[in-house]
Amino acid sequence: MSKQYKTVSLSDEQRIALEALCRRRKVDALVWKRARAFLLLDAGEDAGTVCRILDIGPTVLTEWRFAFAGAGLSFFGLKDYSQRQGHLSVVQEQAVRAHFTAQPARNADEVCAYVLAECDQNYSTSGAAKLMRRLGFAYKKPQLLPAQADEAKQAAFIAKYEALMNGLAADEMVVFSDAVHPEHQSRPAHGWFPKGQKTALKATSGRKRLNIQGALDLETFQFTFVEGEKINAQTTRQMLEKLERNNQTKTAIHVFVDNARYHHAKILQPWLDSPERRVKLHFLPAYAPHLNPIERLWGVMHKWVTHNRHYATFNQFTEAIFDFFRKTLPEKGPEFRDTVTDNFRVISLKEYKVI
């Protein structure tokens, strides 16, 4: 700890005043402790020793030193000296900003360690967080982007989709399809809980999961799905057949899917090529899940059903998932429109600072 602080050098006048203060018969305990701390530092004691002798924390000692530097001897009688961390020079702040722009900090502790090593200042985690916000940083997760997404193919897909939608006949429909595999696991998530209350979520020990293949109509929020032991060409055909049965008046059902192998399965092709077939598959560009709005529906489902929820049995978990798709989604569909949309855009790594 001795490396964390420089010693204090008092003037003769300051030293005499503090020694006299400590000799007083009636003096406030905090005032005496402050005066004794500076006399010990002036005598050459390291900060760690001073903190142990006076039973104070290193952060407190740092705040006292800054308050003394600003208020002088008058500091010792102040009950609220309103000192705050953030006493870096402009040059030091610029260095901190440049360092963490080039090498992002994963947490406030890394900021504390850097400021201590490079600026000889001891920051608490809350002080480091305030410093970073003041320097223009925000604590957030980086966006996870596909490393191999092709910008030209994304743009071509969006243009083709817009052309389809602009020319869509009244007896045609468009759906987005994908599979989801929710596991019977408790999923802790951020939430507002009473301060000071220890909050926990019961964990589940099983590894069972559902396998659901669905298709979502963004216009009506009609959700068509099937469940299977696994997702394959057979469940794909079952889901597509269900789409046709549920939409008898539609002459064409445009289904947007990803490039999973079962969507290209040879055993599926004869059925798709049949003259009476009304479903038509459209394939998304590779490595572009952001172009499939149903991916966002899975996120909404987890927020409503699995986040901070414990289901003692797999049957209870299954019932909750199906209730969301069968009841919640039809009832709350309009509330999800701002989240589950076809407001597509080309994602380019050039727009981001890639770490």
Side-chain angles (χ1 to χ4, degrees):
M1 186 180 295
S2 60
K3 296 180 180 180
Q4 298 180 11
Y5 306 93
K6 297 176 182 178
T7 57
V8 170
S9 296
L10 299 174
S11 66
D12 291 340
E13 180 183 355
Q14 291 172 331
R15 190 178 304 109
I16 292 170
L18 295 181
E19 288 173 346
L21 192 154
C22 288
R23 287 195 298 268
R24 291 180 187 174
R25 295 184 60 183
K26 293 183 179 181
V27 62
D28 182 83
L30 179 58
V31 173
W32 181 90
K33 187 175 286 190
R34 288 173 179 172
R36 179 54 59 190
F38 280 84
L39 289 171
L40 288 170
L41 290 172
D42 180 62
E45 296 290 349
D46 64 83
T49 301
V50 173
C51 289
R52 286 193 296 273
I53 291 174
L54 300 178
D55 191 26
I56 58 176
T59 301
V60 172
L61 189 56
T62 300
E63 293 177 349
W64 287 359
R65 291 181 62 235
F66 282 121
F68 175 65
L73 291 175
S74 62
F75 150 72
F76 293 91
L78 297 176
K79 292 184 178 180
D80 180 11
Y81 47 88
S82 300
Q83 288 297 314
R84 299 292 183 266
Q85 291 173 325
H87 302 275
L88 301 182
S89 68
V90 173
V91 173
Q92 288 174 324
E93 288 192 348
Q94 290 174 343
V96 171
R97 182 187 292 110
H99 175 78
F100 288 116
T101 297
Q103 303 177 43
R106 290 169 293 183
N107 51 54
D109 289 338
E110 291 188 0
V111 178
C112 293
Y114 176 82
V115 172
L116 177 60
E118 300 298 325
C119 307
D120 194 30
Q121 300 292 352
N122 191 306
Y123 269 60
S124 66
T125 53
S126 61
K130 292 177 182 177
L131 171 66
M132 293 297 281
R133 284 192 289 270
R134 189 170 70 253
L135 295 180
F137 293 88
Y139 189 70
K140 60 183 180 181
K141 286 183 179 180
Q143 185 172 344
L144 191 63
L145 298 180
Q148 298 172 299
D150 188 302
E151 294 179 36
K153 290 181 179 179
Q154 292 178 60
F157 169 83
I158 294 173
K160 184 178 178 181
Y161 173 75
E162 291 177 347
L164 172 66
M165 297 302 294
N166 289 333
L168 197 69
D171 59 353
E172 293 182 308
M173 67 182 292
V174 172
V175 298
F176 289 87
S177 179
D178 191 29
V180 67
H181 312 275
E183 277 194 350
H184 180 212
Q185 292 288 328
S186 301
R187 297 166 69 106
H190 287 86
W192 291 101
F193 304 100
K195 188 175 181 179
Q197 171 187 287
K198 292 185 176 180
T199 306
L201 179 66
K202 289 183 178 179
T204 52
S205 57
R207 290 289 179 181
K208 290 184 178 181
R209 71 177 190 177
L210 289 169
N211 296 294
I212 297 171
Q213 191 165 8
L216 178 67
D217 182 345
L218 295 180
E219 184 69 25
T220 64
F221 265 77
Q222 172 188 318
F223 182 69
T224 304
F225 72 96
V226 296
E227 181 200 1
E229 291 186 5
K230 59 182 179 180
I231 302 301
N232 52 27
Q234 182 179 359
T235 57
T236 299
R237 176 170 172 173
Q238 290 172 352
M239 191 269 296
L240 295 175
E241 288 176 335
K242 193 172 182 179
L243 267 175
E244 289 192 340
R245 287 197 307 271
N246 292 349
N247 299 280
Q248 297 285 345
T249 61
K250 301 297 182 181
T251 61
I253 304 173
H254 301 276
V255 184
F256 286 86
V257 296
D258 61 22
N259 287 276
R261 292 176 62 183
Y262 46 78
H263 290 144
H264 295 278
K266 291 182 180 180
I267 61 173
L268 190 60
Q269 292 310 309
W271 183 84
L272 287 171
D273 294 337
S274 175
E276 69 270 17
R277 199 82 298 120
R278 291 179 292 127
V279 296
K280 176 178 174 57
L281 297 190
H282 301 264
F283 291 94
L284 298 166
Y287 310 107
H290 62 286
L291 297 178
N292 194 345
I294 202 171
E295 294 279 2
R296 300 166 201 166
L297 177 63
W298 305 149
V300 172
M301 178 269 293
H302 278 298
K303 287 181 180 179
W304 276 76
V305 182
T306 69
H307 287 185
N308 293 336
R309 299 287 190 276
H310 169 74
Y311 300 97
T313 67
F314 183 66
N315 286 340
Q316 291 174 349
F317 173 75
T318 299
E319 183 179 351
I321 295 290
F322 289 158
D323 276 351
F324 173 81
F325 291 129
R326 290 170 178 159
K327 298 179 182 179
T328 305
L329 186 57
E331 294 174 0
K332 303 288 186 180
E335 297 181 22
F336 305 147
R337 291 189 186 278
D338 291 339
T339 302
V340 186
T341 73
D342 58 356
N343 185 20
F344 299 140
R345 67 185 183 91
V346 174
I347 287 184
S348 171
L349 292 177
K350 299 173 185 176
E351 301 174 3
Y352 295 83
K353 163 71 175 177
V354 179
I355 58 176

